[in-house]
Amino acid sequence: MVEAFAVASGKGGTGKTTSTLALGMALAEDHDVTVVDADTGMANLLFHAGLADVDVTLHDLLLADSAATVADAVYERFGMRVVPCGTSLADFRAADPVQLRDVMAELAADTDVLLLDSPATLASRSAVLPVVLADRALLVVQPTIPALSDGLKVQEYATSYGTGVAGVLFNKVQDPSNVERVTEQAQRYFEGPTLATVPDSDAARDARRAGEPLLSYAPESDAAEAYRRAAAAIDVRETDADQVAERFRSAVVPDQP
């Protein structure tokens, strides 16, 4: 079985990468999980996961003249397999985003859950491809009307390519009453359920600075517990890995977002 989720948002700064690793660690208690930093233009998952000094990243797998294999870019960390992406602007420019289809197809053969830390934009082929390839999107938003609007744009784009919505995660919540005010609208317009409300957390910021996922750095924090509730609310579906891999390889890559 394998299901691919694009962890997505309509804007930067929502805590998407922190959320991807936290959900990955929580889901890894019951599933084999592979986390991929699919934000090839603004990658930062490697810093969150203590992988800043690795030799091979996703960028190497997307370069036409690279001899790197998918296995070379997979690192066992925190109970998960992690595929970081590099931060070189030159490598980003040289990378062929279409190659991500084959990378995901190979990863799908050896995991239950693929979590794609997706770009916080819909402005390019490399940005939209993770959402197009995923089975479902996990939308990370802050509890404001503008943030909901951004998330709805991602949902509209995702569903236009057959990608479902697994749920909405409210993150960096400072005032719970803000969530109460927007939950009704979220339930009205978003296709997936509200998975959890994650409080704004000094522990999350400290974990990021320490280069360690939140659930490893501060497992007893309120934010960590909220991510566990969110993971428990995600119904991972059993699908045939071979069929999923073939879908990845044959996916149509949009020319324009």
Side-chain angles (χ1 to χ4, degrees):
M1 60 172 281
V2 61
E3 185 170 14
F5 297 92
V7 184
S9 63
K11 64 183 291 294
T14 62
K16 182 170 50 59
T17 299
T18 294
S19 298
T20 301
L21 287 170
L23 292 171
M25 284 191 66
L27 287 167
E29 295 180 7
D30 297 307
H31 304 281
D32 290 330
V33 174
T34 300
V35 171
V36 181
D37 190 349
D39 191 350
T40 57
M42 299 291 288
N44 64 7
L45 187 146
L46 74 171
F47 302 117
H48 290 241
L51 293 169
D53 59 349
V54 297
D55 294 326
V56 181
T57 74
L58 179 65
H59 270 165
D60 295 287
L61 306 181
L62 305 181
L63 298 174
D65 58 351
S66 174
T69 68
V70 172
D72 293 333
V74 177
Y75 302 88
E76 299 280 347
R77 293 291 191 279
F78 308 104
M80 308 175 289
R81 298 178 185 89
V82 181
V83 182
C85 187
T87 58
S88 165
L89 181 58
D91 285 347
F92 167 65
R93 288 172 172 165
D96 179 4
V98 176
Q99 293 293 106
L100 183 63
R101 299 183 305 179
D102 292 330
V103 172
M104 284 187 57
E106 187 165 339
L107 291 170
D110 194 31
T111 196
D112 298 331
V113 175
L114 272 169
L115 289 178
L116 307 179
D117 187 10
S118 306
T121 177
L122 297 176
S124 67
R125 297 174 80 200
S126 61
V128 301
L129 187 54
V131 173
V132 172
L133 290 177
D135 297 292
R136 289 186 288 171
L138 293 164
L139 302 176
V140 180
V141 301
Q142 292 177 271
T144 66
I145 298 303
L148 287 179
S149 177
D150 291 333
L152 284 169
K153 293 172 186 174
V154 176
Q155 173 177 275
E156 181 180 4
Y157 188 86
T159 55
S160 72
Y161 280 90
T163 300
V165 176
V168 180
L169 181 72
F170 287 107
N171 195 32
K172 295 187 176 182
V173 176
Q174 296 180 342
D175 181 358
S177 64
N178 286 342
V179 176
E180 295 175 6
R181 286 195 292 268
V182 300
T183 294
E184 182 179 347
Q185 290 173 302
Q187 292 175 339
R188 183 183 306 167
Y189 296 112
F190 283 102
E191 294 194 0
T194 298
L195 298 172
T197 297
V198 182
D200 190 48
S201 172
D202 287 335
R205 286 183 282 272
D206 292 342
R208 185 164 59 249
R209 285 191 289 267
E212 191 174 345
L214 173 66
L215 267 66
S216 172
Y217 183 85
E220 305 303 321
S221 64
D222 290 343
E225 181 55 36
Y227 280 119
R228 291 191 191 94
R229 290 196 299 271
I234 298 171
D235 58 320
V236 179
R237 299 169 180 172
E238 293 192 10
T239 52
D240 182 78
D242 290 338
Q243 292 180 357
V244 171
E246 180 55 34
R247 179 172 62 78
F248 290 158
R249 291 191 178 96
S250 61
V252 176
V253 182
D255 288 326
Q256 294 283 339

